[in-house]
Amino acid sequence: MTKIIQITDIHITTPGNTIGGRDPIANFDRALEHALAQHGDAEAIFVTGDLSDWGDASDYLHLRERLATVPLPVHLALGNHDERHVFARHFPDLMTDGFCQYRVDLKGHIALVLDTWAAGTHAGRFCEARAAWLDGQLGAADAPVLLFMHHNPVPLGLGPMDKIMQLDADRLGDVIDRHRGVVKHIFHGHCHLPLSGSFRGVPFSAPRGTNHAGWADFNNTAAFGSSDLPESYAVALIGDRDVMVHMIEFGYQANGGTIRSEPSGDKAEWDRLTMVR
Ligand SMILES: [Fe+2]
Ligand SMILES: [Fe+2]
């Protein structure tokens, strides 16, 4: 069994600036501190895009310096708010053929980080070149594969969000289909909503994100729903035959939310209270 942490949509920005009334730098620090304190036994952390809010060099500099203090391997993906050529200057080792795409070997699994970034749009793209790279990787995979990427490949049923989803999902899906049974789980971000479902038969999940929180407002066809729900990251427990993904709402605890412990530890007392009719 391997444990991994997924952090998404950190939206690092100029120190002191807030997004949705929240401080992304402070919230990313809180997410890391919480995750390392509670899940320091994880094998790796994956940050699935929207690393920076405006793609500024200073954001990537901050990120690189902050990650240097993290005692776990951290793997980064690009989101629509990022700027690929600026990112590439600060993280050249993560670039393959001009894209931020690469393989990470985990215990018993292969992680593939995909690049769904496109210039001048919030929507995701997955061109022939990226599809060819993934095709080669899946063809050569000698262990189950976990995919990490920013954009959702499945529409949410929310009009404004669905305009900026992974618009080349069919191309991505066709590659996954060609290697049926190889991809075990897809981890994505982008939506600032806790999501799960399946894409071409492969399960996917996404946590809410570490800063601003969305809301699935099905009645609003013009604008994105937002909310004050807690900042979150995900923890995935990946076994040989199954996957469990938790969304950890660290913001609830960081903002003083109470965590109760039930029952008291006296099992007979608990049975008396809850089982004996
Ligand atoms: Fe985002
Ligand atoms: Fe995004």
Side-chain angles (χ1 to χ4, degrees), residues 41 89 120 123 127 172 184 188 232:
D41 58 337
R89 282 208 306 270
C127 59
L172 171 65
K184 187 168 182 176
H188 72 77
S232 309

Side-chain angles (χ1 to χ4, degrees), residues 9 11 50 81 150 190 192:
D9 291 270
H11 287 260
D50 285 353
H81 282 262
H150 185 66
H190 186 49
H192 297 232

Side-chain angles (χ1 to χ4, degrees), residues 70-128:
V70 175
L72 292 178
V74 184
H75 309 293
L76 306 175
L78 289 179
N80 49 302
H81 282 262
D82 290 298
E83 196 60 65
R84 188 195 277 137
H85 74 278
V86 184
F87 171 86
R89 282 208 306 270
H90 293 84
F91 297 94
D93 296 349
L94 302 185
M95 303 301 290
T96 307
D97 304 332
F99 298 106
C100 176
Q101 57 188 9
Y102 52 94
R103 166 177 167 155
V104 178
D105 288 310
L106 301 170
K107 281 184 218 130
H109 291 82
I110 295 165
L112 297 178
V113 175
L114 303 185
D115 182 334
T116 60
W117 185 89
T121 174
H122 285 303
R125 306 297 331 210
F126 197 68
C127 59
E128 288 290 355

